[in-house]
Amino acid sequence: MTSGAPEKAFHLSDIMDLYDFADNAVVALTCLPPEIDRDGKLLSIEFGEREYNEDELRAKRSPDSFPFDIHEGTWQGKPASFYIFTYTPVELRDQLLRAHQALICDTIRALVKKDRATLGADVNDEALLSIFALRWYDKLTLMNERDAWEAEQQRPKEHV
């Protein structure tokens, strides 16, 4: 194998690896300051050397209306619970995430390339968007559970 050549090609049969790339894309799109050109095309995603917590990473990004900004348990102005109780993962993909398909797929591809790998011909944009939608739905579900737990902890204890 020549130096700099991709070491592995991921296919749909490598679903767990694809889920990992989608998880990293969720982190990248919610936390990292991506470099995007004037046309909105992704230039790069940098994870950096130091580990940051989610709030620190979000603070590094500009406060514009980036489509994946999650602020205090809300996404696009609505709490995570709204999405969980209103949409299935398929509806979330088709009604909300499809508008950002190019950014999502470019992000996943950039992460695969960063891993010195490629995607097989069977891994098309629709597959990437679907896998991302599942991981995004999981992210919203976790946010909803965290918010519910925090609300419960703030409740005064009931006297028996």
Side-chain angles (χ1 to χ4, degrees):
M1 198 177 293
T2 62
S3 113
E7 295 177 4
K8 175 156 177 62
F10 292 99
H11 298 275
L12 287 177
S13 59
D14 302 308
I15 194 70
M16 295 307 293
D17 294 304
L18 295 176
Y19 265 57
D20 285 343
F21 286 119
D23 280 338
N24 288 336
V26 167
V27 171
L29 290 172
T30 56
C31 301
L32 298 177
E35 291 183 43
I36 297 174
D37 69 12
R38 288 187 303 199
D39 298 325
K41 187 163 172 71
L42 180 75
L43 296 174
S44 72
I45 293 282
E46 291 299 324
F47 279 94
E49 298 294 317
R50 177 178 176 267
E51 241 185 78
Y52 294 90
N53 72 35
E54 200 166 318
D55 291 332
E56 288 175 311
L57 289 168
R58 256 191 237 115
K60 290 174 71 84
R61 203 173 56 224
S62 64
D64 61 5
S65 59
F66 188 68
F68 292 97
D69 185 50
I70 294 175
H71 184 70
E72 295 180 4
T74 66
W75 177 49
Q76 298 185 355
K78 295 185 174 105
S81 59
F82 169 80
Y83 299 102
I84 300 308
F85 297 122
T86 306
Y87 298 99
T88 67
V90 171
E91 292 167 335
L92 190 75
R93 178 197 66 197
D94 293 341
Q95 296 176 31
L96 299 172
L97 296 176
R98 192 162 303 280
H100 309 291
Q101 179 171 332
L103 177 60
I104 291 166
C105 293
D106 287 350
T107 301
I108 295 172
R109 283 194 178 88
L111 293 167
V112 170
K113 185 178 179 182
K114 194 172 195 68
D115 203 35
R116 298 186 60 211
T118 62
L119 295 174
D122 58 334
V123 184
N124 59 23
D125 284 0
E126 192 63 27
L128 294 177
L129 183 63
S130 294
I131 293 167
F132 181 88
L134 288 171
R135 305 319 287 158
W136 188 253
Y137 194 84
D138 289 344
K139 171 80 171 174
L140 294 173
T141 300
L142 288 172
M143 287 173 49
N144 179 56
E145 290 171 0
R146 181 201 63 208
D147 293 346
W149 181 84
E150 287 176 355
E152 187 177 293
Q153 298 308 310
Q154 299 295 326
R155 233 178 37 202
K157 294 188 183 203
E158 296 177 350
H159 297 288
V160 183

